[in-house]
Amino acid sequence: MNEVLLRSLTPSVLGILVRRGADFAAAEDAVQDALVEAVRVWPDDPPRDPKGWLVTVAWRRFLDATRADTARRRREDMVDEEPAPGPAPARDDTLQLYFLCAHPSLTPSSAVALTLRAVGGLTTRQIAQAYLVPEATMAQRISRAKRTVSGVRFDQPGDVATVLRVLYLVFNEGYSGDVDLAAEAIRLTRQVASVIDHPEVSGLLALMLLHHARRAARTAPDGSLVPLAEQDRARWDTTLIAEGVTILQLALARDRLGEFQAQAAIAALHADAPCAEETDWVQIVEWYDELVALTDSPVVRLNRAVAVGEADGPRAGLAALAALDDSLPRHTAVAAYLHERDGDLSTAARLYAEAAHKAPDLAERDHLTRRAARLNSRRSQ
C-alpha cells in the first residue's frame, strides 16, 4: 500500500469533514481511524477512488463517534450527580467496551489512554494533560493502540485485573481532573461487581465510594485544597461511607486480600475517625505493611512514611523516608510535612517551597506555596 498516497490525501479529507460540519479535533480522530482501516483493508482490496473511500469511512466514523458521545451524555444526564447506593441497573454496552479496550495485546498504559478516549469521552489534549505528556505524544500512543486492536478479534477481552486498573485510573482522573468521570467509574464498577464475584472488585468499589464520600470537603470555596486532617467531616457523605465499609467488610471476610481491599481499609480507618486526632494510625501503618507486601510500590512506601510519622512520631517518619529515593513524586512535600511536625520550621518552609516548584498541578502548587508562606510568617514573629 502507498503510504505516501495516504499522507498526501489526509489534509484534503480532513478539510472535507470540517466543511461538512465536523469540529477539527473530531475530524482528526475520524480521519485517523479511516487511515488505520485503510492500512488494514487496502492491501487485499484497494479502492478505485482512494480519496472517496477515505472520506466515506472517515465521515461514518465521525457520525458513529458523535452518536456514541450523544448516548454517553444522555447516560450521564440520567445519572444523579452523586452515585446512588445499591445494586447496579441493567448492564449496557459501555462495560463491554471497557473490557475490549483492555485487550491483552495492549499495555496497561495504552489500554487506559484508549479507554479514556473511546469510552470516557476525553479529548486527546485532556488525556495528555492527565499524563503530563505533550499532546502529540499522547496522540501517537492512542493511534498505536487503535492500530494494535484494529486487526484482532475481540475473543480475548482484557482480564479483570487490567479492567479494574483502568477503572481506577479513570476514577482518579475524574476525581482530581477537570472532567467529572468519578460517578461514571463508580457506576461501571458496580456493574463489574454485579457480574464478577471477586473480592478485589468489591475492594475497588469500596475504595471509590470511601474516597468519593469526602469529595465535597476536599476543596475550599476559593478552590484551594483542604488537607484530610483539616477537612470538615460533617460534609462527608455518611451514606457512601456506610456502603463502602459494608462492601469492604464482606470482601475482607473472604480472606483473599488484594491491594484495592488494603487501600480501602486505610480509607475506611480515616472515615471512621470522628476527628483527625482520633485516627488509628497504628492500624493504618499495619495496613500499609500489607500493601507494601502486595505491591512493593515506592509510592506506597512513601505514604507509609507519613503514617509512621503520625503513629510513632515525625523522626520515625523521617527515618522511613530516608530509605526512599528522593526523586519520588511528592517526596519533598512529605519531607516538608514531617520536618514541620518535628518543629524544624526553617527546613520545612524551604522544602515546601521546593515541593511547590515540582507540583504537578496548580492547586497543589498553590497549597504548598501557602504552607511555606505560613511557616515563614510564623518564624518572623
Coordinates of all heavy atoms in Angstrom, one line a residue, residues 260-296:
F260 N -6.5 -3.4 46.3 CA -7.6 -2.5 46.4 C -8.3 -2.6 47.8 O -8.8 -1.6 48.4 CB -8.6 -2.7 45.3 CG -8.1 -2.2 44.0 CD1 -8.1 -3.1 42.9 CD2 -7.6 -0.9 43.8 CE1 -7.6 -2.6 41.6 CE2 -7.2 -0.5 42.6 CZ -7.1 -1.3 41.5
Q261 N -8.4 -3.9 48.3 CA -9.0 -4.0 49.6 C -8.2 -3.4 50.7 O -8.7 -2.7 51.6 CB -9.1 -5.5 49.9 CG -10.1 -6.3 49.0 CD -10.0 -7.8 49.2 OE1 -10.4 -8.3 50.2 NE2 -9.4 -8.5 48.2
A262 N -6.8 -3.5 50.6 CA -5.9 -2.9 51.6 C -6.1 -1.4 51.5 O -6.1 -0.7 52.6 CB -4.5 -3.3 51.3
Q263 N -6.1 -0.8 50.3 CA -6.3 0.7 50.2 C -7.6 1.1 50.8 O -7.7 2.1 51.4 CB -6.2 1.1 48.7 CG -4.8 1.0 48.1 CD -4.8 1.6 46.7 OE1 -5.1 2.7 46.5 NE2 -4.4 0.7 45.8
A264 N -8.7 0.3 50.5 CA -10.0 0.6 51.0 C -10.0 0.6 52.6 O -10.7 1.4 53.2 CB -11.0 -0.3 50.4
A265 N -9.3 -0.4 53.1 CA -9.2 -0.5 54.6 C -8.6 0.8 55.2 O -9.0 1.2 56.3 CB -8.4 -1.7 55.0
I266 N -7.5 1.3 54.5 CA -6.9 2.5 55.0 C -7.9 3.7 54.9 O -8.1 4.5 55.9 CB -5.6 2.8 54.2 CG1 -4.6 1.8 54.5 CG2 -5.1 4.2 54.5 CD1 -3.4 1.8 53.6
A267 N -8.6 3.8 53.8 CA -9.6 4.8 53.6 C -10.7 4.7 54.7 O -11.2 5.7 55.2 CB -10.2 4.8 52.2
A268 N -11.1 3.5 55.0 CA -12.2 3.2 56.0 C -11.7 3.7 57.4 O -12.5 4.2 58.1 CB -12.6 1.8 56.0
L269 N -10.5 3.5 57.7 CA -10.0 3.9 59.0 C -10.0 5.4 59.1 O -10.3 6.0 60.2 CB -8.6 3.4 59.3 CG -8.5 1.9 59.6 CD1 -7.1 1.4 59.5 CD2 -9.1 1.6 61.0
H270 N -9.7 6.1 58.1 CA -9.8 7.6 58.0 C -11.2 8.0 58.2 O -11.6 8.9 59.0 CB -9.2 8.2 56.8 CG -7.7 8.2 56.7 ND1 -6.9 8.9 57.6 CD2 -6.8 7.6 55.9 CE1 -5.7 8.8 57.3 NE2 -5.6 7.9 56.2
A271 N -12.1 7.3 57.5 CA -13.5 7.7 57.5 C -14.2 7.4 58.9 O -15.1 8.1 59.3 CB -14.3 6.9 56.4
D272 N -13.6 6.4 59.6 CA -14.2 6.0 60.9 C -13.8 7.0 62.0 O -14.5 7.0 63.1 CB -13.7 4.6 61.2 CG -14.4 4.0 62.5 OD1 -15.6 4.0 62.5 OD2 -13.7 3.6 63.4
A273 N -12.8 7.8 61.8 CA -12.3 8.6 62.9 C -13.2 9.9 63.0 O -13.4 10.6 62.0 CB -10.9 9.1 62.6
P274 N -13.8 10.1 64.2 CA -14.6 11.3 64.4 C -13.9 12.6 64.1 O -14.5 13.6 63.7 CB -15.0 11.3 65.8 CG -14.8 9.8 66.2 CD -13.7 9.4 65.4
C275 N -12.6 12.6 64.4 CA -11.7 13.8 64.1 C -10.3 13.3 63.8 O -10.0 12.2 64.0 CB -11.7 14.8 65.3 SG -11.0 14.1 66.8
A276 N -9.5 14.2 63.2 CA -8.2 13.8 62.8 C -7.4 13.2 63.9 O -6.6 12.3 63.8 CB -7.5 15.0 62.1
E277 N -7.5 13.8 65.1 CA -6.7 13.4 66.3 C -7.0 12.0 66.7 O -6.2 11.4 67.4 CB -6.9 14.4 67.4 CG -6.4 15.8 67.2 CD -7.2 16.6 66.2 OE1 -8.4 16.2 66.0 OE2 -6.7 17.6 65.6
E278 N -8.2 11.5 66.4 CA -8.6 10.1 66.8 C -8.3 9.1 65.7 O -8.8 7.9 65.9 CB -10.1 10.1 67.2 CG -10.4 11.0 68.4 CD -11.8 10.9 68.9 OE1 -12.3 9.8 68.9 OE2 -12.4 12.0 69.1
T279 N -7.6 9.4 64.7 CA -7.3 8.4 63.6 C -6.4 7.3 64.2 O -5.5 7.6 64.9 CB -6.6 9.1 62.5 OG1 -7.4 10.2 62.0 CG2 -6.3 8.2 61.3
D280 N -6.8 6.1 63.8 CA -6.0 4.9 64.3 C -4.8 4.7 63.4 O -4.8 3.9 62.5 CB -6.9 3.7 64.3 CG -6.2 2.5 65.0 OD1 -5.0 2.6 65.2 OD2 -6.9 1.5 65.3
W281 N -3.7 5.5 63.6 CA -2.6 5.5 62.8 C -1.8 4.2 62.9 O -1.2 3.7 61.9 CB -1.7 6.7 63.0 CG -2.2 8.0 62.5 CD1 -2.7 9.0 63.2 CD2 -2.2 8.4 61.1 NE1 -3.1 10.0 62.4 CE2 -2.8 9.6 61.1 CE3 -1.9 7.7 59.9 CZ2 -3.0 10.3 59.9 CZ3 -2.1 8.4 58.7 CH2 -2.7 9.7 58.7
V282 N -1.8 3.6 64.1 CA -1.1 2.3 64.2 C -1.7 1.3 63.3 O -0.9 0.5 62.6 CB -1.2 1.9 65.7 CG1 -0.6 0.4 65.9 CG2 -0.4 2.8 66.6
Q283 N -3.0 1.2 63.3 CA -3.6 0.2 62.4 C -3.4 0.6 60.9 O -3.2 -0.3 60.1 CB -5.1 0.1 62.7 CG -5.7 -1.2 62.1 CD -7.2 -1.4 62.5 OE1 -7.9 -2.2 61.9 NE2 -7.6 -0.7 63.5
I284 N -3.4 1.9 60.6 CA -3.1 2.3 59.2 C -1.7 1.9 58.8 O -1.5 1.4 57.7 CB -3.3 3.8 59.1 CG1 -4.8 4.2 59.2 CG2 -2.7 4.3 57.8 CD1 -5.1 5.6 59.2
V285 N -0.7 2.0 59.7 CA 0.6 1.5 59.4 C 0.6 0.0 59.1 O 1.3 -0.5 58.1 CB 1.6 1.8 60.5 CG1 3.0 1.2 60.3 CG2 1.8 3.3 60.6
E286 N -0.1 -0.7 59.9 CA -0.2 -2.2 59.6 C -0.8 -2.5 58.3 O -0.3 -3.4 57.6 CB -1.1 -2.8 60.7 CG -0.4 -2.8 62.1 CD -1.3 -3.3 63.2 OE1 -2.5 -3.6 62.9 OE2 -0.9 -3.4 64.4
W287 N -1.8 -1.7 57.9 CA -2.4 -1.9 56.5 C -1.4 -1.5 55.4 O -1.3 -2.2 54.4 CB -3.7 -1.2 56.4 CG -4.9 -1.9 56.9 CD1 -5.6 -1.6 58.0 CD2 -5.4 -3.2 56.4 NE1 -6.6 -2.6 58.2 CE2 -6.5 -3.5 57.3 CE3 -5.1 -4.0 55.3 CZ2 -7.3 -4.7 57.0 CZ3 -5.9 -5.1 55.1 CH2 -6.9 -5.5 56.0
Y288 N -0.6 -0.5 55.7 CA 0.4 -0.1 54.7 C 1.5 -1.2 54.6 O 2.0 -1.5 53.5 CB 1.1 1.2 55.1 CG 0.4 2.4 54.5 CD1 -0.2 3.4 55.3 CD2 0.2 2.5 53.1 CE1 -0.8 4.5 54.7 CE2 -0.4 3.6 52.5 CZ -1.0 4.6 53.3 OH -1.6 5.7 52.7
D289 N 1.8 -1.9 55.7 CA 2.7 -3.0 55.6 C 2.1 -4.1 54.7 O 2.9 -4.7 53.9 CB 2.9 -3.5 57.1 CG 3.8 -2.6 57.9 OD1 4.5 -1.8 57.3 OD2 3.7 -2.7 59.1
E290 N 0.8 -4.4 54.9 CA 0.2 -5.4 54.0 C 0.3 -4.9 52.5 O 0.6 -5.7 51.6 CB -1.3 -5.5 54.4 CG -1.5 -6.1 55.7 CD -1.3 -7.6 55.7 OE1 -1.0 -8.2 54.7 OE2 -1.5 -8.2 56.8
L291 N 0.1 -3.6 52.3 CA 0.1 -3.1 50.9 C 1.5 -3.1 50.3 O 1.6 -3.4 49.1 CB -0.5 -1.6 51.0 CG -1.0 -1.0 49.7 CD1 -2.0 -1.9 48.9 CD2 -1.6 0.3 49.9
V292 N 2.5 -2.8 51.1 CA 3.9 -3.0 50.7 C 4.2 -4.4 50.3 O 4.8 -4.7 49.2 CB 4.8 -2.5 51.7 CG1 6.3 -2.9 51.4 CG2 4.8 -0.9 51.9
A293 N 3.7 -5.4 51.1 CA 3.9 -6.8 50.8 C 3.3 -7.2 49.5 O 3.8 -8.0 48.7 CB 3.4 -7.6 51.9
L294 N 2.1 -6.6 49.2 CA 1.4 -6.9 48.0 C 1.9 -6.3 46.7 O 1.9 -6.9 45.7 CB -0.1 -6.5 48.1 CG -1.0 -7.3 49.1 CD1 -2.3 -6.6 49.4 CD2 -1.3 -8.7 48.5
T295 N 2.4 -5.0 46.9 CA 2.8 -4.3 45.7 C 4.3 -3.9 45.6 O 4.8 -3.7 44.5 CB 2.0 -2.9 45.6 OG1 2.4 -2.1 46.7 CG2 0.5 -3.2 45.8
D296 N 5.0 -3.8 46.7 CA 6.3 -3.3 46.8 C 6.5 -2.0 46.0 O 7.5 -1.7 45.3 CB 7.3 -4.4 46.2 CG 8.8 -4.0 46.6 OD1 9.0 -3.4 47.6 OD2 9.7 -4.4 45.8

